[in-house]
Amino acid sequence: MARLTLEQAIRNAIEVEKSAARFYRLLGASTGDAEARKFLERMVKEEEAHAKAIEDMGRKLTSGEIPGQADDNMECVETMPDWAYTDDISFDQAIEIALDAENHAALYYSAIADGFQGKAAELGKVAEFFGDLAKTEEQHVKNLEGMIEKKRGR
């Protein structure tokens, strides 16, 4: 198995976020629940912004060209495929789906960060980059948990 390069890891991360945006868009289109649709539309925008931020930061870290496509199927990293074709998802279900997806993304980025751990300064920057991505996803999880708690407190 070939070693994952920084450039490919960045492309994969961009594709993870773009896949998540497509997933949330599909869910939003399939629900009649206005609150769920609004929440899922917000998630689409967040994931698209995250993909752009990863690409921008990734280009600063690399001297080479970022590949045009992922080297593996990134569709399942930050999505919950079992929900993809479910009709009429409720707001509560949408939050739970997003919570699971964000947890998966945090684990994925943590694993990538661990894979780039090393003594070289360059590897340390890469590990830090992916560690920061994991922390961002963990913050998304906390925000979603806060939404659940707030909803329960109503």
Side-chain angles (χ1 to χ4, degrees):
M1 180 181 212
R3 183 176 167 262
L4 183 65
T5 66
L6 168 60
E7 293 81 7
Q8 191 63 61
I10 290 168
R11 170 51 61 198
N12 291 355
I14 293 165
E15 294 307 316
V16 164
E17 301 302 322
K18 287 181 176 182
S19 293
R22 286 189 299 271
F23 173 69
Y24 290 130
R25 187 175 289 114
L26 177 66
L27 288 179
S30 72
T31 185
D33 183 324
E35 188 178 25
R37 186 172 24 261
K38 184 177 177 181
F39 168 74
L40 292 164
E41 287 169 358
R42 190 173 82 235
M43 292 299 293
V44 168
K45 289 177 184 169
E46 286 181 17
E47 298 301 344
E48 289 172 341
H50 205 195
K52 175 80 170 100
I54 291 169
E55 186 168 8
D56 291 346
M57 289 301 296
R59 289 198 186 282
K60 291 177 184 176
L61 275 178
T62 64
S63 57
E65 190 70 24
I66 296 175
Q69 61 187 24
D71 66 349
D72 201 0
N73 181 4
M74 298 288 112
E75 292 283 329
C76 295
V77 173
E78 194 172 355
T79 65
M80 300 283 91
D82 292 348
W83 288 96
Y85 301 101
T86 302
D87 287 334
D88 214 17
I89 290 170
S90 71
F91 181 61
D92 290 346
Q93 288 172 319
I95 292 173
E96 290 295 332
I97 292 165
L99 185 62
D100 284 344
E102 299 296 323
N103 269 315
H104 283 165
L107 292 171
Y108 174 76
Y109 291 134
S110 252
I112 297 292
D114 289 348
F116 279 103
Q117 290 291 340
K119 292 181 182 179
E122 179 184 310
L123 291 180
K125 288 179 185 177
V126 174
E128 182 180 342
F129 174 75
F130 283 99
D132 288 346
L133 289 178
K135 289 176 187 169
T136 298
E137 299 297 342
E138 290 165 359
Q139 186 59 53
H140 292 170
V141 168
K142 288 179 185 174
N143 294 345
L144 290 164
E145 289 171 340
M147 288 178 72
I148 291 169
E149 289 303 311
K150 183 178 177 183
K151 189 151 177 65
R152 286 181 184 155
R154 282 189 198 173

